[in-house]
Amino acid sequence: ERPLIVVAGEMLELGEATRATHREVASFFTDAHAQAVITLGEHAVHYAEGLADGITHTHVRNVDEAYAEIRRI
């Protein structure tokens, strides 16, 4: 069985809700039993705050790095 890998970009224009909204969305990754989450974008680092223990998180700078990380997993 293949692992579930989530690639998530930042959500823009959320204002003061930026951090909380990224954390909330990350709970869906946990509920879906993701094994790895790759994030891209300045605000996307906040997804990590909402992930359950045991889910691998990697933050990348661009799409090429995201693709390389997927291939590594």
Side-chain angles (χ1 to χ4, degrees), residues 13-21 23:
E13 301 182 19
L14 295 172
E16 292 180 15
T18 296
R19 188 176 207 159
T21 303
R23 281 193 313 249

Side-chain angles (χ1 to χ4, degrees), residues 9-60:
E10 67 183 327
M11 297 180 286
L12 301 174
E13 301 182 19
L14 295 172
E16 292 180 15
T18 296
R19 188 176 207 159
T21 303
H22 282 83
R23 281 193 313 249
E24 182 180 342
V25 170
S27 69
F28 292 104
F29 307 155
T30 298
D31 292 346
H33 305 287
Q35 293 177 335
V37 175
I38 301 167
T39 57
L40 173 64
E42 179 183 350
H43 299 294
V45 296
H46 300 299
Y47 287 119
E49 299 168 9
L51 296 175
D53 291 339
I55 298 177
T56 302
H57 172 250
T58 305
H59 187 76
V60 297

